[in-house]
Amino acid sequence: MRRPPAPATVLALLAALATVLLGAPAASAASTTSASAAPIAVRGGDVLYDSQGHRCMVAFNARRGTAYYGLAAGHCMGSEPTTWYADAARTVPVGTTAARSFPGNDYGIIRYTNTTLSYPGEVSLGGGAVRDITGAASPRVGQSVCHVGRATGLRCGTVTAVNVTVNYPGGIVYGLFRSNACSEPGDTAGPAFSGTTALGVIVGGSGNCVYGGATYYQPVTEILAAYGLSLY
């Protein structure tokens, strides 16, 4: 026996129900994807983007009182104060340039002003791994050192010289230290450390990671002393 056709009102209700069940999840999924893509923390080894087109890594996070800062290489920050962002699309502001010293020195600091983000005292090693940084020290010849670069990732070696002078196209920089850990263009401002102790900020290098080379760093203790900052 054939079943009687469903009344029009029942069909209308079923159609409305299907619209709700099929339409709602799509909007919810899009919202979840968008939210999860937004940065929620800035660590040492992360890249920031400024409003003038510069791109710099943060070497370490530091603080003075209740204010928090990111340490970076001065030559990659540009000469004018600017706003910095956590994403390449420049939709998540992080803070502003607070100070810069280059040439002579090669460092600068970014004052964090976005209180919706966190600024852990850690360094990103890549692949989701992090290293907690508990203090800073001056480098010693023969000391083991590792650094993280945007182009080459985590590389390790030995400190081979201190109090080095380097003549860059933008001017002479004094008081650097050198290691035999390789680096390549794009690694600038990466953090250098020994264990959980911060040592320096990548400011340049020679050679590459195929044939070997050397990397130069701005000592982190000098930056901390210049601005009255401490690591945490």
Side-chain angles (χ1 to χ4, degrees):
M1 178 184 297
R2 294 178 58 191
R3 295 181 179 178
T9 54
V10 174
L11 292 176
L13 287 173
L14 290 174
L17 180 60
T19 300
V20 172
L21 292 177
L22 295 176
S28 177
S31 175
T32 301
T33 301
S34 175
S36 64
I40 59 174
V42 175
R43 295 175 173 85
D46 289 348
V47 179
L48 298 183
Y49 307 82
D50 80 352
S51 53
Q52 300 174 6
H54 300 101
R55 177 173 55 184
C56 283
M57 289 185 77
V58 174
F60 302 99
N61 287 336
R63 66 185 173 195
R64 182 175 61 212
T66 59
Y68 290 82
Y69 299 83
L71 312 186
H75 75 267
C76 80
M77 294 178 66
S79 58
E80 299 296 328
T82 184
T83 299
W84 292 87
Y85 298 84
D87 60 325
R90 294 167 174 79
T91 61
V92 183
V94 170
T96 58
T97 300
R100 173 183 179 268
S101 181
F102 177 81
N105 302 303
D106 195 353
Y107 52 72
I109 58 174
I110 297 165
R111 168 75 183 274
Y112 294 138
T113 57
N114 187 342
T115 58
T116 65
L117 301 178
S118 65
Y119 308 99
E122 304 168 336
V123 167
S124 296
L125 303 180
V130 298
R131 174 72 55 85
D132 187 31
I133 300 298
T134 59
S138 298
R140 307 183 312 273
V141 172
Q143 183 177 16
S144 63
V145 61
C146 293
H147 66 233
V148 179
R150 179 173 55 84
T152 61
L154 179 65
R155 302 283 175 167
C156 297
T158 302
V159 176
T160 57
V162 297
N163 198 26
V164 177
T165 298
V166 176
N167 192 354
Y168 290 105
I172 300 175
V173 178
Y174 305 93
L176 304 179
F177 71 96
R178 183 180 68 224
S179 87
N180 57 11
C182 69
S183 61
E184 295 184 0
D187 289 337
T188 290
F193 48 90
S194 182
T196 61
T197 301
L199 294 181
V201 179
I202 298 174
V203 296
S206 60
N208 56 49
C209 288
V210 176
Y211 301 104
T215 301
Y216 298 89
Y217 313 85
Q218 174 72 58
V220 72
T221 52
E222 183 178 347
I223 308 173
L224 298 175
Y227 301 117
L229 302 175
S230 60
L231 302 183
Y232 53 90

